[in-house]
Amino acid sequence: MQLQNYQYQQLISHYEKVQLKNARILENRVREIDEKIPAIKNINKAIAMISANSALKKLGADLIEDKEGGFDVAGATLDDIPTLSKKKHQLLVEAGYPENYLDPIYECPICHDTGYIDDQKCQCFKKRIIEYLYEESNLGHVLEKENFDHFDFNCYSDGYIDEDEKMTPRDNIHIVYDLAKNFCENFDKNPSHLLIYGTTGVGKTFLTHCIAKEILDKGHTVVYLSAIELFNILGKSNFGRNTDESELNTTSEFITGCDLLIIDDLGTELVNLFTNSQLYQIINRRIIGEQPTIISTNLSFQELEETYSERVLSRIDYKYTFLKIFGDDLRIKS
């Protein structure tokens, strides 16, 4: 997975905001304790001066001569700091505060809210990337319920054999399921493209949601858009006026550059020369770039041929695996 620059900057910005927020909290705590427990203020000054003197000794410079709060700073060493820190913690507890009240505050104690350990991404950064990708995918919380863990084969009938496919809807969905899982498992090694088609209500969108969750959980970028949303965005990018050009460019960049693009309900958009041209460009560009794409549609292959240009259909026919789902309308059954 390769985050685009603007995505990476947004994630780093999150850490910067966390650091700033916690620094302000700690600053307010220090101010509060300075007022309520002056002895701790003196201890902190003494610790700072002892540390400074340690550095000055190495440089051969004059030491700070002070007895801050009764502490002989010049005569102290770094070995005395743990004792002073312990005294500070005792004073905090005696005043009713946690002993770590003045310690630095971190959401992640491992990387200290930097996102990195040496030059490696911290686990919190990896987790944040996946959360961010979920937000960017346009799927919200729908994947909490619509995923492979909730896939129910019993929703598909085994009581009749389809005349065209020569199998029951349940036998067919088992084949489709295995091909979808194979798509996910080989996503990194052998990227491919899927066309999922069938009549309304047979579970095409549910299946695309299942695949999207698997790919997001691998830490890949996924963009999920209905055909209407997709061409609306592309239309604004090409012809829009009085719009935020940088935002449109960013959105278009994300659509063309994401690891997996899912176009739902192809055929529901207003089909014209522009949408045909844009669809061809997206499909062709992503085939050349080996960036997987999934298209779902209610149209049969014959209807696709009648609706879209020969160039579009030739690219789909050349590189896409066709998954047909058939059966009863699950929305009516439920």
Side-chain angles (χ1 to χ4, degrees), residues 209-252:
H209 287 169
C210 293
I211 296 171
K213 185 179 189 307
E214 292 285 304
I215 303 307
L216 283 166
D217 286 347
K218 290 174 178 285
H220 289 286
T221 53
V222 176
V223 172
Y224 192 109
L225 294 170
S226 70
I228 293 174
E229 291 173 322
L230 172 64
F231 293 115
N232 183 46
I233 291 169
L234 295 176
K236 287 181 179 178
S237 181
N238 282 270
F239 308 115
R241 295 180 179 178
N242 301 321
T243 53
D244 187 332
E245 185 175 344
S246 63
E247 182 179 346
L248 285 173
N249 289 339
T250 295
T251 304
S252 298

Side-chain angles (χ1 to χ4, degrees), residues 6 9 32 48 58 81 104 145 247 254 259 274 292 301 305:
Y6 80 92
Q9 291 302 323
E32 173 191 1
K58 293 178 181 179
I81 290 180
K145 294 183 179 180
E247 182 179 346
F254 196 28
D259 296 329
F274 171 75
F301 191 76
E305 287 182 316

Side-chain angles (χ1 to χ4, degrees), residues 5-22:
N5 186 57
Y6 80 92
Q7 295 172 308
Y8 178 79
Q9 291 302 323
Q10 287 181 345
L11 287 169
I12 292 299
S13 176
H14 163 78
Y15 282 99
E16 291 172 347
K17 289 176 183 176
V18 168
Q19 293 171 14
L20 182 59
K21 178 194 72 174
N22 288 334

